[in-house]
Amino acid sequence: MPFGGGNKCGRCQKTVYFAEDVQCEGQSWHKSCFQCMVCNKSLDSTTVAVHVDEIYCKSCYGKKYGPKGYGFGGGAGTLSTDRGEHLGIKHEAPAAHQPTNNPNASKFAQNLPGSDVCPRCSKTVYAAEKVIAGGNSWHKACFRCAKCGKGLESTTVADKDGEIYCKACYGKNFGPKGFGFGQGAGALAYAQ
């Protein structure tokens, strides 16, 4: 025990005496200092989440350090636009969509033996990031429609001449035209 009668508080660094001591992860806190580092909500043993020497409520901890992306919402039917800027999370702007710059993407002869090259960005595609479609290997980030830039999946991709498209753009640009093919009355139209 340090000089002064007690351990130092994890938040204010003042002496914590026995009557006001809250223990968490081997560190002492004043009862009044045992609060979330972001929202200042009072914590207890069931609501605390620890990261290094900082304590958070489970909600702020999840926003700052939890998994991100599709499927990690705050509950059923939850849509949140909170990106965590108030938690110090910085986001980089997504790269602008670029159509394939390879004039003949369908030829395998352009690849070096034993390595795959993404036809969209012309960089090496490694196994952990490989998506195969249209006879080529693509990076997951480059696996987008050549017309609208929409991200694709195996169920939504259509290919033509070594390029990949979403089904809507493929149908609009290469599909059949005329009466009975989605262009008449009662058909949904997609206008750019």
Side-chain angles (χ1 to χ4, degrees):
M1 193 177 295
F3 182 75
N7 296 322
K8 298 294 181 189
C9 176
R11 181 171 232 162
C12 70
Q13 301 303 314
K14 294 182 181 174
T15 302
V16 180
Y17 295 100
F18 183 75
E20 56 188 4
D21 189 18
V22 176
Q23 291 282 320
C24 180
E25 297 283 317
Q27 190 163 356
S28 294
W29 306 80
H30 292 109
K31 287 180 184 177
S32 60
C33 292
F34 198 62
Q35 300 174 338
C36 175
M37 296 289 204
V38 175
C39 68
N40 294 322
K41 183 192 298 182
S42 293
L43 302 172
D44 61 34
S45 64
T46 62
T47 60
V48 70
V50 180
H51 184 79
V52 188
D53 287 334
E54 298 177 334
I55 56 174
Y56 300 93
C57 67
K58 291 189 177 187
S59 176
C60 290
Y61 178 87
K63 289 177 187 171
K64 191 163 184 171
Y65 300 108
K68 308 285 186 285
Y70 181 77
F72 293 105
T78 299
L79 178 62
S80 175
T81 57
D82 179 11
R83 296 178 42 136
E85 284 88 2
H86 67 283
L87 301 173
I89 298 171
K90 293 180 178 40
H91 298 278
E92 35 182 89
H97 169 67
Q98 295 178 327
T100 304
N101 56 12
N102 189 339
N104 194 356
S106 63
K107 288 192 175 180
F108 289 104
Q110 295 175 351
N111 295 346
L112 296 174
S115 69
D116 293 323
V117 176
C118 177
R120 179 84 18 99
C121 67
S122 301
K123 294 181 181 172
T124 302
V125 181
Y126 298 100
E129 57 189 358
K130 184 188 293 190
V131 179
I132 299 174
N136 291 308
S137 296
W138 304 79
H139 293 108
K140 289 179 185 175
C142 296
F143 195 58
R144 301 185 162 282
C145 176
K147 292 286 184 185
C148 68
K150 179 180 175 184
L152 300 173
E153 297 175 2
S154 62
T155 58
T156 61
V157 69
D159 67 299
K160 180 163 177 70
D161 299 327
E163 189 55 87
I164 55 174
Y165 303 92
C166 66
K167 290 193 175 185
C169 288
Y170 182 87
K172 189 167 79 170
N173 292 289
F174 308 110
K177 308 282 190 278
F179 182 77
F181 292 105
Q183 301 297 319
L188 292 176
Y190 175 74
Q192 286 186 342

